[in-house]
Amino acid sequence: MAEIYISLFEGLLSDPEAIEKIRKSGIISGIEIYSLIEHFTLIKNSGLKCTAHDPQVFGMNNLGDTEWLTIFDTSRGKQVIELLKNTDSPNVGFHCGFSAQKVIKMHAYPDAAVTSTMYKNRQDLLSTIAKNIIGIERLLNQAESGNLFKQVLLEPMDFSREKPVNWQIQSEEVKAHQPEIKRVFEEYGSNAALQWVTDISFFDDLFRELSNQGKHSIGFLFDISHVFITADAKINSKMYSGTIEDYFSELIDIVKDKIYQIHVNVPEGNPEDGYADAHLPFRVGDALSDRIMKLTRKVINSSPNFKSITLEIRSLLNMKPSEFASLMIQQASILKPASN
């Protein structure tokens, strides 16, 4: 039986009622976090299990950065490694990375590649990501014992339809680099930092390169919304000629025996304007919710090594932590038949 985790939501760890609801739900195993240093001890003390996703050390992770592994040489990086080893899940997932060594974090928009660091050669990017993922696997498992073993998983990013940037909601750092970012998007498109890394063929080649490397095999974290958004955008831009369901089938054929974890939520949007990764809950009678659930079942039924699923749903405005905890239990109940 697969374990169900939920994302850490605002106010949970300071609300005993919300914690108790989740702890006694009998359906939710624990909490998935990226902020290990800040929240690991609080979650463990709450009596809930803790699992890690794309754990942050300094800012975002980018497996396309040739210097990425050096962050784990720092005292903070070493602390994150030790915390990762002590999480409850046997898996830890990392975003696949970008096709640039440096990116600028955007809000509600694909991250912007720093032009001078963009990869010109696909094989160079493949080799860098493979080196980094094998490197983190060795750091986690070089002195493994018992439940300290962690299987490292790769998660695909989301390739989006082209749309105007809302500059008003961007950070001061983004606004300071606005002229450069505009040039990148004008020349390469808004998905400049995602060249190659969202292609099905890229994962085929990457897992071939990863085979027989490292102490343990590298797995796949199948993010349903990321793949859905990517498929829609590539169909809209004439980069893919099939349906979204066809796209799922092709990717599953490549990674099905490597899928150990799934992320699921409902994106926002529609077929006319495209979709965005909004981390929304399932809604009864909603056509998009039903389609995402059907695709989730398709992935689960095709994944013989599937072990856990995370409801990656964000807090809703004006909802108290205990109310949101009840919503997460209800969402897990919707998902449970599919995850068994």
Side-chain angles (χ1 to χ4, degrees), residues 77-128:
K78 291 175 181 177
Q79 185 180 0
V80 167
I81 292 293
E82 291 308 308
L83 291 174
L84 282 173
K85 290 179 179 179
N86 287 284
T87 53
D88 297 289
S89 169
N91 305 326
V92 55
F94 291 87
H95 287 156
C96 184
F98 300 95
S99 55
Q101 294 199 43
K102 303 296 178 187
V103 296
I104 300 171
K105 180 68 176 174
M106 303 284 289
H107 180 70
Y109 206 81
D111 296 327
V114 175
T115 311
S116 61
T117 72
M118 290 176 63
Y119 279 86
K120 302 292 191 284
N121 183 285
R122 182 178 182 271
Q123 183 56 48
D124 289 344
L125 177 59
L126 270 168
S127 298
T128 298

Side-chain angles (χ1 to χ4, degrees), residues 53-54 61 63 93-97 153-157 226 312:
H53 164 57
D54 209 35
N61 291 301
L63 297 182
F94 291 87
H95 287 156
C96 184
L153 311 179
L154 280 169
E155 177 185 1
M157 311 290 277
H226 283 188
E312 206 177 24

Side-chain angles (χ1 to χ4, degrees), residues 202-239:
F202 190 82
F203 285 102
D204 192 15
D205 291 341
L206 180 56
F207 278 110
R208 189 175 294 112
E209 185 147 336
L210 289 168
S211 63
N212 301 318
Q213 291 194 56
K215 194 169 183 180
H216 301 280
S217 63
I218 305 300
F220 192 78
L221 195 170
F222 202 115
D223 189 301
I224 304 295
S225 283
H226 283 188
V227 177
F228 185 89
I229 293 163
T230 296
D232 167 78
K234 292 193 173 186
I235 291 167
N236 180 261
S237 61
K238 312 300 183 187
M239 297 172 67

Side-chain angles (χ1 to χ4, degrees), residues 111-340:
D111 296 327
V114 175
T115 311
S116 61
T117 72
M118 290 176 63
Y119 279 86
K120 302 292 191 284
N121 183 285
R122 182 178 182 271
Q123 183 56 48
D124 289 344
L125 177 59
L126 270 168
S127 298
T128 298
I129 292 175
K131 177 181 79 83
N132 280 331
I133 207 67
I134 292 299
I136 193 66
E137 190 275 330
R138 287 173 177 163
L139 283 174
L140 288 171
N141 295 316
Q142 58 191 350
E144 72 175 66
S145 63
N147 66 345
L148 293 183
F149 162 68
K150 297 297 173 189
Q151 183 169 37
V152 174
L153 311 179
L154 280 169
E155 177 185 1
M157 311 290 277
D158 49 322
F159 182 100
S160 304
R161 290 197 196 186
E162 298 284 338
K163 62 179 182 179
V165 180
N166 183 345
W167 295 105
Q168 296 300 317
I169 64 173
Q170 303 302 326
S171 67
E172 292 305 313
E173 179 190 10
V174 169
K175 291 175 182 177
H177 290 88
Q178 186 171 337
E180 176 190 352
I181 293 171
K182 281 185 172 181
R183 285 195 297 272
V184 171
F185 289 157
E186 287 170 1
E187 184 170 355
Y188 300 101
S190 61
N191 292 292
L194 298 173
Q195 183 181 19
W196 301 311
V197 296
T198 58
D199 295 345
I200 293 174
S201 62
F202 190 82
F203 285 102
D204 192 15
D205 291 341
L206 180 56
F207 278 110
R208 189 175 294 112
E209 185 147 336
L210 289 168
S211 63
N212 301 318
Q213 291 194 56
K215 194 169 183 180
H216 301 280
S217 63
I218 305 300
F220 192 78
L221 195 170
F222 202 115
D223 189 301
I224 304 295
S225 283
H226 283 188
V227 177
F228 185 89
I229 293 163
T230 296
D232 167 78
K234 292 193 173 186
I235 291 167
N236 180 261
S237 61
K238 312 300 183 187
M239 297 172 67
Y240 185 76
S241 59
T243 65
I244 290 176
E245 284 69 20
D246 292 336
Y247 192 92
F248 268 73
S249 295
E250 288 190 31
L251 180 57
I252 289 169
D253 283 344
I254 297 297
V255 299
K256 59 188 175 184
D257 62 329
K258 302 174 180 67
I259 300 170
Y260 289 84
Q261 184 181 3
I262 292 171
H263 276 177
V264 64
N265 56 67
V266 180
E268 66 179 3
N270 55 68
E272 291 74 33
D273 303 318
Y275 300 91
D277 194 24
H279 297 258
L280 299 175
F282 289 93
R283 291 183 293 138
V284 176
D286 173 64
L288 182 55
S289 293
D290 291 344
R291 193 176 186 188
I292 293 296
M293 182 59 73
K294 185 176 180 180
L295 288 167
T296 302
R297 292 193 184 99
K298 177 184 181 75
V299 174
I300 291 172
N301 292 336
S302 304
S303 307
N305 297 315
F306 166 64
K307 295 291 189 298
S308 67
I309 189 164
T310 297
L311 275 163
E312 206 177 24
I313 296 172
R314 293 178 181 155
S315 302
L316 301 180
L317 290 176
N318 302 318
M319 187 172 280
K320 296 177 181 178
S322 61
E323 295 173 333
F324 194 75
S326 296
L327 175 63
M328 291 300 93
I329 294 167
Q330 180 261 346
Q331 292 284 296
S333 299
I334 293 173
L335 192 63
K336 189 174 178 61
S339 64
N340 289 336

Side-chain angles (χ1 to χ4, degrees), residues 3 5 40 44 48-51 84 86-90 150:
E3 289 193 305
Y5 288 85
F40 176 85
K44 297 294 283 187
L48 296 169
K49 287 187 176 183
C50 176
T51 186
L84 282 173
N86 287 284
T87 53
D88 297 289
S89 169
K150 297 297 173 189

